[in-house]
Amino acid sequence: MESILRKLAARPERSIIVLGLILLLAGNWIMPLTDRDEVRFSEASREMLQRGDYVVPWFNGQWRFDKPILIYWCQSASYRLFGINDFAARLPSALFTIGTALVLARWGRKVADKETAFIAGAMFITGLHVAVIGRVATADMAMVFFVTLTVWSGWELTRPENSSRAKWWMIFYMALALGFLAKGPVAWLPIAGVVLGRAMRKDVFRLTWLETIAGLVVTVALVACWGIPALKQTQGHYWEVGMGEHVIHRSLGVMDSHGVKGWGGFVLLLPLYFLTFLISFLPWTTHRLDEAEPWLQRQKQKGLLWKLLVPVLRVLFFVLYIPLKIWRWWPERRRDVLGWYLLVQALIVFVVFSLVKTKLPHYTMPAFPCIALWLALQLRSEANVFAWFQRRLAAMVVIILVMMLGFTSFARSHLITENLWQAAQPQVRPETKVGCFGYTEPSLVWKFRGVITNTVVLGDEKNAKNFLTNSPPFILVLPTADVLSLPDTNGSQIRVHGLDTVSFRNWDLTAIVR
């Protein structure tokens, strides 16, 4: 196994591309779009093609202001190449994830060697959370890619000895602009890392005010090429909702129950991301700390209490591998400028999102590339690093492929929206009107609007009676328990069961077809 890894590491960029395509594309044509945001992005991109409006996204006939425009452009381009389907919707995210790993491989090869380059890229792709989010049809991985490119170009831009600073200056500020177009101002967090480097370590970070101001002007101008037309077309609503609700309100308040309200809840969740990281970056957050074994063995000789504590400490050291490694590295921070820079960039992400009241585990993913490269650089000095690396890499490859090619085939037949669509699809025509009441997941919109030309009506069960006044053909979907409350249920009925993966709730639905 180790010889195979060394052959892969000999050509890190090519190996990362092949590994990424295998792991991130596997099963994307099997598992239907289920996550709410995944469906909303995918459907908005389809409606972009249908409307020919490439400035403002629409979802189910209404403006969608949640994120800037870049991911919709990418998904629309993917649809043109591969058709409008689940695989094409997810393809841009997978490619951005692979692109992020390639950035790490190129950067690692430049500052270290081929083995470090391969380990950094492979750790990022196979980290637990990236293996999941890296294939999901949302804007996250596009943002992570441009944040990573910004961090790298920011490093090169501030090297006093770099003779290609003009090239890196352009890459840095263009990446800032594209990152904003991917997911808004969060993509500008690397600016803080570069500025901190200049402020705290002036001897090794070069950054002039004139270059910075000129670059920010370029960045804002690039964003404005889309932003001004979007604001004009929506009379300013894109800014009010996109920034006001989805940035400011999300930062100062709890949105969609993702967090705990009140200052007590805010304080309680401050360490959340530092704990979730230990799971999100598995299996790379775990490692047996051999250096601690002599000390642990000595403690066991001190009495019964220590005999009981040593196994606990051994497990604790195992799961706190990265924090302990940072603690051991700390005395080297003055000499290891790149390591310091990578950890500063990662820490900024963790601190900022710890202060944001709305909490979701994937918010800190922009820090993962920095941590992957930092860890890969530290592993160069360790003996038998490939033995540790190969076991975890092999395990993650097997787990990902089994889940995406095996489990998803089984799970597909148990999903409520998929079952409803399979049963109702023969009855659906372009002119069919569809109303879904009680069960209103966006996945219904994605399925039905692939055929119908009308928008899908979504609402509470109490509004189902009004939908019956429509002239046929129509399909009314509602929980089976509410069918008896309707005054007139003439027409064929289709009853289906299944799981909603968003709420993890089993549903029994009936579709009335006229």
Side-chain angles (χ1 to χ4, degrees):
M1 179 67 179
E2 185 170 335
S3 62
I4 296 175
L5 284 177
R6 292 194 183 278
K7 289 179 181 179
L8 292 175
R11 296 183 176 180
E13 291 91 344
R14 187 179 70 175
S15 298
I16 289 298
I17 292 174
V18 173
L19 180 66
L21 290 175
I22 292 173
L23 296 183
L24 292 167
L25 299 186
N28 283 357
W29 61 90
I30 300 175
M31 190 65 177
L33 301 179
T34 53
D35 178 80
R36 288 174 179 171
D37 286 337
E38 188 179 29
V39 172
R40 287 164 179 153
F41 278 107
S42 303
E43 173 60 24
S45 298
R46 172 165 60 189
E47 294 189 32
M48 178 174 283
L49 287 179
Q50 293 172 343
R51 290 175 173 274
D53 183 353
Y54 295 92
V55 177
V56 180
W58 294 71
F59 174 79
N60 199 27
Q62 297 182 336
W63 279 332
R64 173 172 165 78
F65 299 138
D66 291 42
K67 297 294 181 288
I69 200 67
L70 182 66
I71 191 62
Y72 305 103
W73 288 343
C74 294
Q75 288 181 324
S76 297
S78 182
Y79 292 161
R80 288 190 179 275
L81 291 173
F82 301 101
I84 300 175
N85 52 65
D86 300 345
F87 177 86
R90 291 178 170 134
L91 181 60
S93 286
L95 294 181
F96 277 120
T97 306
I98 297 169
T100 304
L102 276 176
V103 169
L104 295 179
R106 293 286 293 177
W107 194 359
R109 186 172 182 174
K110 183 176 182 182
V111 299
D113 50 49
K114 293 179 180 179
E115 290 184 357
T116 300
F118 176 69
I119 290 174
M123 281 198 300
F124 175 74
I125 282 180
T126 55
L128 180 61
H129 214 152
V130 173
V132 176
I133 301 297
R135 68 181 69 248
V136 175
T138 61
D140 294 289
M141 296 317 300
M143 179 267 294
V144 170
F145 170 77
F146 287 112
V147 166
T148 306
L149 185 58
T150 303
V151 171
W152 182 21
S153 56
W155 167 258
E156 299 291 349
L157 173 63
T158 54
R159 296 307 87 220
E161 70 281 3
N162 198 325
S163 59
S164 304
R165 294 187 70 254
K167 178 187 74 173
W168 291 109
W169 178 90
M170 183 61 67
I171 294 174
F172 181 77
Y173 290 105
M174 288 186 67
L176 283 174
L178 292 171
F180 186 96
L181 292 177
K183 207 176 176 182
V186 62
W188 288 358
L189 288 180
I191 296 176
V194 172
V195 171
L196 277 176
R198 178 67 179 86
M200 299 177 67
R201 310 191 71 166
K202 295 180 181 180
D203 53 330
V204 288
F205 281 83
R206 174 184 174 185
L207 189 67
T208 67
W209 284 111
L210 183 60
E211 287 179 345
T212 304
I213 293 172
L216 292 175
V217 169
V218 169
T219 295
V220 172
L222 290 173
V223 172
C225 290
W226 162 76
I228 292 175
L231 292 176
K232 286 184 176 180
Q233 188 170 320
T234 62
Q235 293 82 49
H237 291 303
Y238 214 129
W239 177 267
E240 294 173 9
V241 177
M243 288 296 294
E245 180 177 346
H246 291 282
V247 176
I248 297 175
H249 176 68
R250 191 182 297 267
S251 300
L252 301 179
V254 176
M255 193 171 182
D256 297 329
S257 300
H258 297 310
V260 179
K261 294 183 178 180
W263 283 105
F266 171 72
V267 173
L268 181 67
L269 292 182
L270 280 176
L272 174 69
Y273 290 126
F274 296 93
L275 298 176
T276 58
F277 170 74
L278 300 178
I279 299 173
S280 295
F281 203 56
L282 282 172
W284 312 111
T285 54
T286 60
H287 191 13
R288 179 179 174 180
L289 201 64
D290 292 329
E291 304 93 308
E293 279 303 310
W295 180 82
L296 291 172
Q297 292 300 325
R298 289 196 300 270
Q299 304 312 306
K300 290 179 66 174
Q301 309 304 319
K302 295 183 178 181
L304 178 61
L305 179 60
W306 275 104
K307 286 183 179 180
L308 297 175
L309 284 176
V310 163
V312 176
L313 290 174
R314 187 175 285 117
V315 172
L316 192 62
F317 290 164
F318 181 76
V319 299
L320 293 178
Y321 167 60
I322 290 182
L324 289 172
K325 196 162 189 66
I326 293 173
W327 178 72
R328 291 173 57 207
W329 164 88
W330 186 251
E332 302 294 323
R333 65 189 183 279
R334 296 303 303 178
R335 291 187 291 272
D336 185 3
V337 180
L338 176 57
W340 179 87
Y341 174 75
L342 290 169
L343 289 184
V344 164
Q345 291 285 12
L347 183 62
I348 288 170
V349 174
F350 276 94
V351 170
V352 167
F353 284 106
S354 294
L355 297 176
V356 169
K357 284 195 172 183
T358 300
K359 308 287 187 187
L360 282 172
H362 68 272
Y363 281 179
T364 55
M365 287 185 66
F368 289 11
C370 295
I371 296 172
L373 181 56
W374 180 86
L375 184 56
L377 290 170
Q378 303 308 309
L379 290 173
R380 286 183 300 163
S381 60
E382 292 193 7
N384 301 320
V385 61
F386 264 103
W388 171 81
F389 176 71
Q390 70 183 11
R391 291 193 297 270
R392 284 159 172 77
L393 179 63
M396 287 305 297
V397 168
V398 171
I399 290 171
I400 293 169
L401 292 180
V402 168
M403 290 293 293
M404 296 310 302
L405 297 177
F407 177 74
T408 53
S409 299
F410 165 79
R412 182 186 181 104
S413 62
H414 293 78
L415 301 178
I416 182 62
T417 297
E418 184 67 18
N419 290 343
L420 175 63
W421 174 246
Q422 293 299 326
Q425 184 179 6
Q427 312 295 328
V428 181
R429 303 195 297 273
E431 65 273 17
T432 301
K433 295 177 278 292
V434 177
C436 304
F437 303 91
Y439 178 72
T440 58
E441 288 299 323
S443 54
L444 294 167
V445 179
W446 170 251
K447 289 296 186 181
F448 282 105
R449 292 206 81 251
V451 177
I452 69 174
T453 56
N454 307 297
T455 59
V456 177
V457 179
L458 304 174
D460 297 329
E461 296 92 326
K462 61 184 180 182
N463 296 321
K465 296 178 182 179
N466 296 331
F467 190 80
L468 286 172
T469 61
N470 282 287
S471 58
F474 68 76
I475 297 176
L476 169 62
V477 178
L478 75 167
T480 299
D482 296 313
V483 172
L484 295 177
S485 66
L486 297 178
D488 180 9
T489 57
N490 292 334
S492 60
Q493 294 187 11
I494 301 170
R495 185 174 176 180
V496 294
H497 308 269
L499 175 70
D500 169 28
T501 58
V502 176
S503 62
F504 287 97
R505 173 184 172 186
N506 284 307
W507 286 85
D508 188 317
L509 300 178
T510 294
I512 300 172
V513 182
R514 289 187 187 175

